[in-house]
Structure formats: structure tokens, C-alpha cells
Amino acid sequence: MIRLTTREEELMRLFWDKGALFIKEILAQYDEPKPHFNTLSTFVRGLEEKGFLAHEAFGNTYRYHAVVSEEEYGAGAMRGVVGKYFNNSYLHAVSSLVRNEKISIDELKALIREVETENGR
């Protein structure tokens, strides 16, 4: 999956949190100084071209909505990190998290129990 820029992720978060939006509604979410309408529109169209958004026409204006969920994007980003930094090994990624104390052994055991329960073991 394509990795988004910080600005693009910020925009996608609005769609994931709020649902379908017109450009003017997106603009209203920003504090001063607000981005220019055309600049915001360009970013949104770029997200649409990348396949993250789609639109519905209302006369001469468009309402945009997410077609990639936050979970799908997060999973793709995780695959990218594991591929780039851990040689496509999820085991190495988890080992790194445990070694760097980002996740405790007890949390890891609880996660294993949760996954086993979900898989009917």
C-alpha cells in the first residue's frame, strides 16, 4: 500500500473520524491560518487519485469519502515497516518490541491467549 505524507494522513484521519465531507467542511476543521481552499482541494483530489478517497457529485460540488479504512491503512503501514526494517519477519519485529521493552512478556502472553481464543484453540 502507498505510504501517505503527514498532511495526507491528517486529511484521511478527518474522513475516518467524521465520514463523508465537502471541502468546505474540511476547511472548517482547521484553525487559523486555514489552508487555501484550492490547496486543500488539490490534496483531496490527490488522495482520490491514489485510491484512498472517492466522491459523490452534488451539482457542481463533490462530497468525498474514504474507501480505505484506517485499519486497512494501518495494516499496510505495518507490513511496510516489517518489510523494510525487519526483513519481512514479524517474529523479528515482535522480538524487537519485547527487547526494547515496548511490550512486556505478560502483555505478549495475554496477546497470545487472546489470539488463541479467537482462533478457537
Side-chain angles (χ1 to χ4, degrees), residues 78-117:
M78 177 63 79
R79 281 191 299 275
V81 167
V82 171
K84 183 174 183 178
Y85 299 105
F86 299 100
N87 199 30
N88 287 318
S89 171
Y90 283 86
L91 180 59
H92 289 138
V94 172
S95 294
S96 176
L97 291 171
V98 172
R99 278 194 213 103
N100 292 310
E101 299 177 15
K102 303 296 182 194
I103 183 172
S104 71
I105 298 294
D106 288 337
E107 290 171 318
L108 187 57
K109 287 178 182 177
L111 178 60
I112 291 168
R113 283 192 301 274
E114 182 181 317
V115 170
E116 287 177 339
T117 299

Side-chain angles (χ1 to χ4, degrees), residues 34-95:
K34 294 180 185 290
H36 191 275
F37 183 94
N38 291 341
T39 302
L40 200 52
S41 181
T42 298
F43 272 103
V44 169
R45 283 193 319 272
L47 286 167
E48 185 174 30
E49 288 172 13
K50 290 179 179 182
F52 284 85
L53 297 175
H55 72 267
E56 181 179 1
F58 288 86
N60 62 351
T61 189
Y62 297 134
R63 183 173 65 182
Y64 294 89
H65 61 276
V67 293
V68 173
S69 72
E70 187 173 13
E71 293 77 19
E72 290 170 317
Y73 181 69
M78 177 63 79
R79 281 191 299 275
V81 167
V82 171
K84 183 174 183 178
Y85 299 105
F86 299 100
N87 199 30
N88 287 318
S89 171
Y90 283 86
L91 180 59
H92 289 138
V94 172
S95 294

Side-chain angles (χ1 to χ4, degrees), residues 7 23-37 39-40:
R7 172 62 66 95
I23 300 293
K24 64 182 178 181
E25 292 174 320
I26 299 168
L27 197 56
Q29 300 297 313
Y30 283 88
D31 294 327
E32 294 294 340
K34 294 180 185 290
H36 191 275
F37 183 94
T39 302
L40 200 52

